[in-house]
Amino acid sequence: MTKILTCINCPMGCELTVEVENGKVLSVSGNTCKRGELYAESEITAPTRTITTTVISEQGRPVPVKTAQPIPKDKIFECTAAIKALKVSLPVKVGQVLADDLLGTGSQVTATKSVG
Amino acid sequence: MREFDLVIVGGGPAGMAAAVAARTKGLENILILERDSELGGILNQCIHNGFGLHTFKEELTGPEYAERYAEQVEAMEIPVETDTMVLDISKDKTVTILSRKRGVEQIQAKAVILAMGCRERPRGALNIPGYRPQGVYTAGTAQKLVNCEGYVPGKEVVILGSGDIGLIMARRMTLEGAKVRAVVELMPYSSGLKRNIVQCLDDYGIPLMLSHTVVDIKGKEKLEGVTVAAVDSTNTPIEGSEEYFPCDTLLLSCGLIPENELSRSCGVDIDPRTNGPLVDEGLETSIDGVFACGNVLHVHDLVDFVSEESARAGESAVDYIRRGCTPDSTAAIKVIPQNGVRYTVPSQIHTADLLGDVHIRFRVTGVFKDCAIVIKAGDTELVRRKNRILVPSEMLDIIIKEEKLAAVTEDITVAIEEV
């Protein structure tokens, strides 16, 4: 199977053509440096993203939060819904852990701002 | 009248970094003025990550980056007056301020640092035809509503302009349950980072319509939809290409403008290319003892560069105060943008008053591949740096060594050359 990706490492934004079989990268073309190959490899085999969003505290003020580690890309919506459902009471401190092991991803959810 | 050595207008990343640098150099009597109720400026609403890779060698969100600096301001016991609006700055550095606590007050400064940031280009400056219904927001206003107030402005969204704030808001609105129908960009390329196009649009299947624009806004009281059309090479809409998108929200991400009303009324000379003050190597404006840094000077893409630049402004202000508030001792040489370079900051350098290496920051006028940045003094080449690609959306920063500059007497040119 052939997949087309845009490399995000620099403004060149090389269009990468990736040959994939059974989830494994057979070849990468279109890249102009080594970083493109490495990016294609990680994007195909295990793409991850850090989620940043807000949780509305019990007092009504939003608290900005993030996943402390990147989570699998295909779990973005599931994880965001789980973060939204967290109960948070003010005050919170930046870095405060609001959830451990979000949906079995191994990532914590932490506050990114001191609120209240 | 209260008297201060240094008054800093604005408590965002620029103001905080300038204050921290000035205090680190030993200046005692500093005041930061901030119109919002807390320090941090625009970073407070930028809850996404990607900040701080240069400054802190880790990836932080906006509020985390702001809090690191706010903690330093607090630890250094630098006075901050929040909920305070600056109304006027005079040439002799009398600053008129307004706050609920103290009413209208005049304070006297020996030096002033302008760190007011920038604001978004509003609908009124875009000439979009159609009605003026509720539901049209700048992307940053929507960002503040969602991230700081907890209100999501709509359910079906079209975004005009593909700058980074627009891209970030496309993802943010999607995560909040809205349907983003399209991001519409007038130019044939996006002015946003590749990373944001992939991770904010491609990840969520949001189409990016290049060489398109909004040609009509429908809805009298509330927004009902927008008409999008393709444009030709002169940016004129092509008849017959119109497509109607029902939506309840239109977000505008069409550029940022440095906020220089105070600088202008103070009499500071403005560079028409950046809409920010003209400054020298120490970031001093055309008025002695008035400095500028951060987005009020020129719009940055990385906060890390804002902090670095602003620290320099803080140090220069301390130097000016210690010198006894006298003007620079010598005439300045000009820094002239040439082929492919839109502007430079600084626009002039006092080579006899250097306080270390000089950063030349600039943007290019278009996309250049396999080229070199060439900085010359007369016929003498000071810097030549090869690049595989240069794009207008990435600010460039070239450092010229103090010892190289000290001997220069001719004007300096900055240009892009094909290799």
Side-chain angles (χ1 to χ4, degrees):
Chain A
M1 187 175 58
T2 306
K3 282 202 170 182
I4 306 288
L5 298 175
T6 309
C7 181
I8 64 167
N9 280 298
C10 86
M12 290 284 282
C14 295
E15 188 172 286
L16 310 175
T17 307
V18 192
E19 294 299 334
V20 187
E21 208 176 275
N22 300 326
K24 287 213 164 162
V25 175
L26 297 179
S27 71
V28 181
S29 58
N31 55 313
T32 45
C33 76
K34 181 77 185 165
R35 288 187 298 172
E37 215 175 299
L38 296 173
Y39 173 74
E41 181 75 34
S42 72
E43 270 297 282
I44 297 294
T45 53
T48 60
R49 299 288 186 265
T50 297
I51 299 178
T52 60
T53 182
T54 51
V55 179
I56 306 295
S57 64
E58 284 169 5
Q59 288 79 4
R61 281 182 70 186
V63 176
V65 301
K66 70 175 180 184
T67 56
Q69 288 82 36
I71 56 115
K73 188 183 150 192
D74 58 11
K75 288 195 172 173
I76 289 176
F77 283 101
E78 232 177 300
C79 284
T80 305
I83 293 170
K84 285 273 165 206
L86 291 174
K87 291 239 183 308
V88 176
S89 187
L90 300 183
V92 296
K93 284 291 284 176
V94 64
Q96 188 176 322
V97 177
L98 304 175
D100 267 314
D101 192 14
L102 178 69
L103 295 183
T105 58
S107 174
Q108 293 179 325
V109 177
T110 57
T112 57
K113 187 176 184 350
S114 303
V115 183
Chain B
M1 190 189 290
R2 292 195 289 161
E3 291 180 2
F4 299 90
D5 283 346
L6 176 60
V7 167
I8 298 171
V9 185
M16 290 193 290
V20 167
R23 176 55 59 86
T24 304
K25 243 192 149 185
L27 190 70
E28 279 300 316
N29 191 9
I30 306 172
L31 176 65
I32 302 176
L33 299 169
E34 168 56 44
R35 66 181 169 191
D36 205 343
S37 55
E38 60 179 348
L39 290 173
I42 203 67
L43 288 175
N44 287 323
Q45 67 184 64
C46 297
I47 65 162
H48 52 281
N49 63 344
F51 301 88
L53 281 169
H54 294 257
T55 310
F56 298 111
K57 310 291 175 232
E58 58 180 305
E59 202 166 319
L60 301 172
T61 64
E64 288 173 310
Y65 189 98
E67 210 156 317
R68 295 234 175 151
Y69 271 92
E71 278 167 5
Q72 289 184 58
V73 169
E74 202 184 333
M76 291 176 163
E77 297 178 350
I78 300 171
V80 179
E81 291 180 12
T82 55
D83 296 301
T84 301
M85 187 81 187
V86 175
L87 301 177
D88 186 61
I89 303 165
S90 75
K91 270 203 172 64
D92 61 3
K93 292 171 275 291
T94 304
V95 183
T96 309
I97 61 178
L98 173 70
S99 66
R100 235 170 227 274
K101 259 194 198 146
R102 307 179 69 102
V104 178
E105 183 189 6
Q106 288 198 317
I107 59 175
Q108 184 62 50
K110 287 181 183 164
V112 173
I113 294 180
L114 307 171
M116 293 90 80
C118 60
R119 62 178 174 226
E120 297 176 281
R121 187 165 282 128
R123 179 180 175 186
L126 293 173
N127 286 326
I128 311 170
Y131 284 105
R132 266 143 183 72
Q134 173 255 313
V136 182
Y137 304 86
T138 58
T141 301
Q143 188 179 46
K144 175 140 189 158
L145 286 172
V146 176
N147 294 344
C148 302
E149 314 291 337
Y151 299 112
V152 183
K155 290 192 167 64
E156 287 184 282
V157 187
V158 171
I159 299 176
L160 175 61
S162 65
D164 286 309
I165 311 172
L167 300 177
I168 293 285
M169 280 313 291
R171 175 176 63 188
R172 190 73 193 101
M173 295 294 287
T174 306
L175 287 181
E176 287 294 328
K179 169 79 189 160
V180 179
R181 299 205 166 275
V183 174
V184 180
E185 169 61 54
L186 180 71
M187 304 306 288
Y189 52 85
S190 166
S191 56
L193 297 174
K194 285 280 183 251
R195 171 184 149 128
N196 284 337
I197 292 171
V198 170
Q199 298 195 350
C200 298
L201 301 187
D202 297 355
D203 274 5
Y204 302 94
I206 300 167
L208 173 60
M209 302 175 76
L210 298 172
S211 297
H212 280 71
T213 193
V214 171
V215 292
D216 195 22
I217 292 176
K218 195 178 163 226
K220 244 187 174 165
E221 300 295 326
K222 281 185 135 186
L223 180 64
E224 290 169 21
V226 299
T227 306
V228 172
V231 296
D232 63 19
S233 59
T234 63
N235 292 342
T236 311
I238 300 167
E239 235 182 286
S241 71
E242 295 88 354
E243 188 182 348
Y244 181 73
F245 290 83
C247 60
D248 58 16
T249 308
L250 173 65
L251 300 187
L252 307 172
S253 175
C254 302
L256 301 167
I257 308 158
E259 191 164 353
N260 273 297
E261 281 75 9
L262 282 172
S263 328
R264 281 199 178 87
S265 69
C266 178
V268 164
D269 289 341
I270 300 290
D271 185 338
R273 293 164 300 198
T274 57
N275 286 312
L278 286 159
V279 293
D280 70 5
E281 77 291 347
L283 306 169
E284 190 173 15
T285 67
S286 59
I287 298 180
D288 287 321
V290 176
F291 300 79
C293 56
N295 281 349
V296 81
L297 178 57
H298 56 147
V299 176
H300 293 61
D301 14 80
L302 288 181
V303 71
D304 301 78
F305 286 1
V306 169
S307 300
E308 204 275 321
E309 176 179 276
S310 305
R312 181 62 218 270
E315 288 165 4
S316 302
V318 175
D319 181 62
Y320 169 82
I321 293 162
R322 294 218 172 117
R323 219 164 54 211
C325 302
T326 52
D328 294 302
S329 60
T330 48
I333 56 166
K334 287 198 181 96
V335 184
I336 303 165
Q338 287 190 335
N339 179 44
V341 178
R342 193 156 65 81
Y343 73 87
T344 64
V345 167
S347 59
Q348 56 170 345
I349 299 173
H350 296 90
T351 47
D353 294 317
L354 296 177
L355 279 177
D357 300 341
V358 172
H359 286 259
I360 308 273
R361 297 192 168 88
F362 61 95
R363 285 185 196 273
V364 292
T365 53
V367 177
F368 293 89
K369 286 194 175 172
D370 297 317
C371 58
I373 300 165
V374 181
I375 303 184
K376 285 184 187 171
D379 292 329
T380 316
E381 218 169 86
L382 299 176
V383 175
R384 172 177 286 267
R385 191 200 285 175
K386 282 190 184 165
N387 279 79
R388 287 186 52 211
I389 186 163
L390 298 175
V391 293
S393 57
E394 295 213 358
M395 184 188 291
L396 296 155
D397 181 354
I398 302 277
I399 300 169
I400 311 183
K401 292 272 172 211
E402 183 177 5
E403 50 273 23
K404 264 194 178 176
L405 265 178
V408 169
T409 51
E410 291 174 277
D411 288 345
I412 287 177
T413 58
V414 184
I416 308 301
E417 282 182 12
E418 306 275 328
V419 176

